[in-house]
Amino acid sequence: MIVTGPLTYEKIYYALWETAQRYSRFTQFRVIGKSHDDRMIPMLEIGTGQDVIFCLAGLDGGDRRMSTCLVEMIQEYCRAYECGWILDEEYKIRDLLDEVRICFIPVLNPDGYEICEKGFTAIRNPIYRQMLRMMESSSCDFAYNARGMDIRRNFPTSYCSRERIHQEPASENETKALIRIFQEYKSVGLLSFCHLGKRIVYFRQPQAFAYNQRSYRLARHLQKRSCYRLEKAVYEEKNRKKEDTSGSGTPEQFYAEITRQPALMIETPDFGNESEKGDVLKKDYQDIHTLPLEYIFSLNN
């Protein structure tokens, strides 16, 4: 596949399913849950390792670039695995994925993804559709799910705060699906992809020196590979300002708390109106396409 523009939700779903059919020896396709508007949330596993890392995108409906890049990454990895290729003359992909397999979840929020492409008419549930129209938000950069909830702030972290009435932690179907997957697998890391800046953010825990050092070391490896800047996220109640909710309820913070494994957020630049052009997608992809492999390689090196 050649990246020329963001893929539709349907193309992403069937790309994962067809890839699993073609490379059935070392891949597995799963539907991990359904959205509130009854859209399936697909996941593809690549490799045969006992441990896994998660690669996640598509929490924000407007972040279509990263979802497309993960599908491109899936197909490149599968071709290389089948043929025994060495990616970028460095990564023996078959050896790496037979040690630690990768679970790709390109679109956690399919309802928001569809809204950004087709408008609020994409929502089939008439109650949800009318409720979204009353929010007076633009559909072209819609960041929420079909119920108007921000998935990125919906996880039950230690410092999770309720921003709206009736908005409880883990209230959304999409959040529950990801939590189940986190709990089901024996994992050794989470890489979450989005477009906000040009940085790699690693998450820290209070009074957890060994964990914090390991997270920093792995983030440093990825930072050197991508040339993005490195930042740490510290979420301690006594130091958190009222307006600082960047770690409150996020999947990265939740994952780090329940697994004690590194959670890294990889942010590509936001190019505004230029963000969906093919040359921007290609640049994004070249920056990030080996980062999951670098993470696996760095685990024991």
Side-chain angles (χ1 to χ4, degrees):
M1 185 181 77
I2 300 175
V3 176
T4 58
L7 297 173
T8 65
Y9 162 71
E10 289 85 359
K11 287 185 177 179
I12 291 175
Y13 182 91
Y14 285 110
L16 268 60
W17 182 84
E18 290 170 355
T19 299
Q21 299 302 304
R22 178 174 179 179
Y23 302 104
S24 58
R25 185 173 60 86
F26 56 89
T27 65
Q28 181 179 353
F29 175 85
R30 289 188 60 182
V31 172
I32 65 172
K34 289 187 177 182
S35 69
H36 284 283
D37 204 40
D38 211 31
R39 289 181 176 87
M40 292 179 284
I41 304 171
M43 182 179 81
L44 186 74
E45 302 176 32
I46 306 177
T48 61
Q50 292 297 312
D51 295 333
V52 309
I53 65 169
F54 295 104
C55 289
L56 175 67
L59 280 80
D60 181 333
D63 191 2
R64 296 158 55 79
R65 289 178 8 232
M66 289 299 98
S67 297
T68 300
C69 285
L70 288 198
V71 175
E72 177 77 5
M73 202 180 295
I74 286 168
Q75 297 187 344
E76 182 180 30
Y77 287 8
C78 287
R79 288 193 300 268
Y81 188 106
E82 183 180 53
C83 298
W85 292 342
I86 299 176
L87 285 186
D88 285 9
E89 301 181 350
E90 185 172 357
Y91 300 102
K92 296 180 179 179
I93 193 164
R94 189 178 291 175
D95 291 348
L96 290 172
L97 298 187
D98 283 344
E99 180 181 354
V100 178
R101 68 189 189 275
I102 304 177
C103 292
F104 284 98
I105 306 172
V107 186
L108 184 67
N109 179 14
D111 293 344
Y113 197 92
E114 287 282 81
I115 288 170
C116 286
E117 181 190 359
K118 302 175 181 177
F120 295 123
T121 56
I123 301 302
R124 297 175 287 244
N125 186 305
I127 297 175
Y128 294 155
R129 187 167 61 244
Q130 182 60 26
M131 182 174 61
L132 295 176
R133 284 172 171 160
M134 293 173 62
M135 290 179 64
E136 298 182 353
S137 297
S138 171
S139 62
C140 61
D141 56 356
F142 195 72
Y144 311 112
N145 70 350
R147 299 206 314 149
M149 297 294 186
D150 186 354
I151 302 299
R152 185 164 282 284
R153 299 287 181 266
N154 191 239
F155 289 79
T157 60
S158 297
Y159 305 135
C160 181
S161 59
R162 188 173 66 176
E163 298 177 1
R164 291 172 49 184
I165 190 169
H166 304 311
Q167 181 183 1
E168 299 294 338
S171 62
E172 305 308 291
N173 289 352
E174 300 87 349
T175 309
K176 294 173 184 176
L178 190 60
I179 289 175
R180 285 194 299 268
I181 290 298
F182 284 165
Q183 294 172 335
E184 178 179 342
Y185 285 77
K186 181 176 181 290
S187 62
V188 290
L190 166 66
L191 304 183
S192 177
F193 296 84
C194 61
H195 71 274
L196 291 174
K198 190 176 181 180
R199 60 180 185 167
I200 294 176
V201 181
Y202 65 100
F203 288 72
R204 297 170 57 84
Q205 299 287 326
Q207 301 177 345
F209 178 80
Y211 167 85
N212 292 335
Q213 286 296 101
R214 185 165 180 255
S215 294
Y216 169 78
R217 178 177 62 83
L218 290 166
R220 182 68 172 163
H221 279 288
L222 269 60
Q223 186 265 336
K224 290 180 179 178
R225 175 60 55 181
S226 65
C227 296
Y228 286 9
R229 72 181 185 274
L230 186 65
E231 293 187 12
K232 64 181 178 180
V234 182
Y235 304 113
E236 298 184 46
E237 187 66 24
K238 64 180 181 180
N239 294 327
R240 212 179 102 224
K241 297 179 181 179
K242 184 177 181 180
E243 65 271 16
D244 179 15
T245 59
S246 55
S248 176
T250 66
E252 298 87 6
Q253 183 70 10
F254 173 77
Y255 176 85
E257 289 179 3
I258 67 165
T259 67
R260 310 298 293 176
Q261 296 292 340
L264 309 180
M265 186 161 59
I266 299 158
E267 300 179 354
T268 62
D270 187 350
F271 293 97
N273 294 334
E274 302 292 311
S275 65
E276 294 195 355
K277 290 187 176 180
D279 55 347
V280 172
L281 281 166
K282 291 175 184 177
K283 178 63 169 63
D284 280 348
Y285 186 72
Q286 288 303 314
D287 286 346
I288 67 173
H289 78 117
T290 60
L291 294 188
L293 302 177
E294 177 66 28
Y295 184 91
I296 295 172
F297 177 81
S298 302
L299 282 172
N300 298 317
N301 291 276

